[in-house]
Amino acid sequence: MTELSEARKRLPLAIERFVLHWGDLGGRWGVNRSVSQIHALLYVSERPCTAEEIADLLGLARSNVSTSIKELLAWGLIRRVPIKGDRREHFEAEADIWEMFRRIAAGRKERELDPAIAALRGCVAEARSDATVHPVAAARLAALLGFVETLDRWYAQMLSVPMDKLAALIRLGTRIVGFLPGARKK
């Protein structure tokens, strides 16, 4: 391997640290480390990359990269990009942070919140019809279901808020409380 081709395979330290850290965070969030690292690399890349380039840059097996790319495509976090004169597949990440967040939130809702609601509804129904379930347990299950359904309704409502308004809402932080009925005006 020539010195030039070896130099091309090295990532700048800041990018390498970001990719490794994003991979670590992904592991804490229940996402495969390789999937998170590939997402991070494509997010900061100035151009679309092939699976081979990704494998070389991250030191991952090509099969691992292929599987990870399929998962990222399913989440809508990356897309295939045709490159004129090159038959290989190239990939790039969604660069809009708010859109990336929206897609991750939608995926997590579908994979986590929706099944939780379905399971809790079943548990609450069973608890109501089972005399051996203590009223405290039944009430706590119902309260948890109510909370999760409230989050689900809030999420559905937030989907209709334009991204710029949603960003402004988030930036308001606790100041938003001042707009609620009964809040003291300063």
Side-chain angles (χ1 to χ4, degrees), residues 11-63:
L11 294 171
L13 184 58
I15 301 304
E16 183 177 315
R17 288 182 61 191
F18 170 70
V19 167
L20 292 174
H21 185 68
W22 199 250
D24 245 8
L25 286 175
R28 293 179 195 164
W29 295 332
V31 178
N32 178 290
R33 179 185 307 264
S34 299
V35 170
S36 298
Q37 287 179 347
I38 292 167
H39 179 247
L41 176 67
L42 291 174
Y43 179 73
V44 297
S45 181
E46 70 278 3
R47 62 174 182 74
C49 296
T50 65
E52 294 80 15
E53 291 171 321
I54 294 167
D56 287 345
L57 284 167
L58 299 180
L60 298 173
R62 178 64 175 83
S63 59

Side-chain angles (χ1 to χ4, degrees), residues 31-118:
V31 178
N32 178 290
R33 179 185 307 264
S34 299
V35 170
S36 298
Q37 287 179 347
I38 292 167
H39 179 247
L41 176 67
L42 291 174
Y43 179 73
V44 297
S45 181
E46 70 278 3
R47 62 174 182 74
C49 296
T50 65
E52 294 80 15
E53 291 171 321
I54 294 167
D56 287 345
L57 284 167
L58 299 180
L60 298 173
R62 178 64 175 83
S63 59
N64 189 359
V65 171
S66 180
T67 302
S68 298
I69 284 173
K70 286 178 187 169
E71 186 170 340
L72 288 164
L73 287 167
W75 278 84
L77 295 175
I78 67 169
R79 63 187 151 268
R80 287 180 180 89
V81 179
I83 303 293
K84 186 177 179 178
D86 194 339
R87 293 175 44 176
R88 298 175 299 171
E89 289 187 322
H90 292 74
F91 303 92
E92 69 180 5
E94 173 60 56
D96 182 307
I97 295 167
W98 290 99
E99 182 61 26
M100 183 173 64
F101 173 77
R102 190 190 67 73
R103 290 178 188 177
I104 290 170
R108 296 208 72 134
K109 178 194 178 305
E110 181 183 324
R111 290 169 178 84
E112 298 167 22
L113 195 60
D114 292 349
I117 289 171

Side-chain angles (χ1 to χ4, degrees), residues 140-155:
R140 288 182 181 169
L141 286 171
L144 182 56
L145 174 60
F147 175 77
V148 176
E149 286 176 332
T150 298
L151 288 177
D152 187 51
R153 281 189 301 277
W154 176 83
Y155 171 79

